[in-house]
Amino acid sequence: MSEKVAVFDTTLRDGEQAAGTRLGSREKLTLARQLARLKVDIIEAGYPASSPEDFAAVQLLSREIEGPVICALSRAVPGDIEACGKALANARRPRIHTGIGVSDVHVAGKFRDPKYGKTMGEKKVKLIQMAVAAVKLARQYAEDVEFYAEDAGRADPAYLFEMLEAAIEAGATVVNIPDTTGYAVPEQFGALIRAIREKVPNIQRATISVHCHDDLGLAVANALAGVANGARQVEGTINGVGERAGNAALEEVVMAIRTRGDYFGVHTGVETREFCRTSRLVSDMLGMVVPPNKAVVGGNAFSHSSGIHVDGFLKDRETYEIMRPEDVGVLESRVVLTARTGRHGLRDRLEKLGYALSQEELDRTYHRFLIVADKKQEVFDEDLIAILHDEIHPVPETYHLDYLHSYSGTSAIPTATVRLGVGGEMKEGAAVGDGQVDAMCKAISVVTQTSAKLARYEIRAVTSGTEAMGEVTVQLEEGDRKVMGRGASTDVIEASAKAYIDGLNKLAAQFRGQERPGDTPG
Ligand code: KIV
Ligand code: ZN
């Protein structure tokens, strides 16, 4: 069996530090329950000394969450550590995460007050003393203490090794090597982890953790380089949310470890089928949209569109997919129909919709499909069905719209008058309704003497601007028959009337020669 890499989720702490986001304790609990379903090993619940709400959140998660370790963050300051200890008091498996800056920039900048020492040398000695005291104090509240060496990615390695050795000696069970500013590059970061294993004499007594930020877009690559070089805990957030450019995206790190098990030779305990659900929840709660092309959880991560790819994918999924969608909680891969999809993709989709076409019918449909696809970003199933009805199974025009007048206003009753061609005759009718569309549908029903139910109504703009072309799709039901009707116009009421009449024509074709549910016997 390969070695396990523990997964440390900090969505609720570092992730929530993303600009413009804030989670209350109830929201953190909802997310933590989902993280527990995802089976992460550690949930960093918050920074209790930072605010009463964060203290309450750590307390609540400590009480409610079973399974993962519940961790709380502190600086190497007694007050912070005591707050962690109190907030974690009811946790089944508590961990305190404490630490201090180690890079020269941090030592000189954050600890510039002479009380930490006058020279860099004095300050560095003082900071090691503070780290040791912090770990010792944290151990009084929890057996599990993680020590972070902040900004390790930019630190002088010799000082970092010294600091880590002292923290482990003081009782740290995990040593976290954060690339706080996202400065590292994978080869160098991997070498740093390897050097820690070689140069820190007591390193065997602690687990090495990696915590990478994404300022150069290298967080996931750096975290994986850490794992490849012996880190056995990896930290990150769902969707990569976090300070500035964010943290390493856990779904990417975990799926890389899983998909490239041949390379990394380790495993995690994560229930990867929960990734998609978790990603959506985080996106919703933090109000941060996931880009469609985001690895693993983006809306297009399992979509295929170009003809060459669709053709290969339909022959053998593995030609263009290295992960199975169901393994990350996506129902199935999607072939997106666009102008580049090609005949094979079109035929496959038509077959899935239940239409088996001859070569000649397919050619005609493909020709019409390309015309539609050139105007739209994506061709939907409803569009295909409409094309098929026009090309392959044209519907006779029982009803034809000749004239429409519709009237409405803030203090007027919506009214519609229509004139339709019905079997060679012109017929006119009017109705009032609950809105213009309702009035128009009722007027058409009066003229056609039909009783179809409008089960669905959708409108969307197919061009942009205030003169946009509106496309209306309706679903009509009569007895056990269901049909789609479509209509387009720059006037949405006219588009709606056309769609409604289109649907009625389809129903008329289907019921031709048969008794209709609304017909009176005799
Ligand atoms: O990025 C960082 O250094 C951190 C530490 C507090 C672990 O988030
Ligand atoms: Zn961080």
Side-chain angles (χ1 to χ4, degrees), residues 467-499:
E467 288 164 22
M469 187 83 165
E471 187 180 68
V472 173
T473 308
V474 294
Q475 191 182 59
L476 302 189
E477 288 178 10
E478 191 173 337
D480 59 357
R481 311 274 173 141
K482 283 187 189 153
V483 295
M484 306 288 292
R486 286 156 45 88
S489 169
T490 47
D491 178 322
V492 291
I493 303 301
E494 187 180 322
S496 307
K498 283 181 171 170

Side-chain angles (χ1 to χ4, degrees), residues 13-14 73 97 148 150-151 176 178-180 211 213 235:
R13 197 279 299 171
D14 220 353
L73 183 81
H97 190 189
Y148 65 84
E150 196 180 8
D151 205 17
N176 181 12
D179 182 28
T180 305
H211 175 115
H213 280 268
E235 310 195 0

Side-chain angles (χ1 to χ4, degrees), residues 25 42 60 110 191 393:
S25 46
I42 303 108
L60 185 66
K110 288 169 77 168
H393 312 290

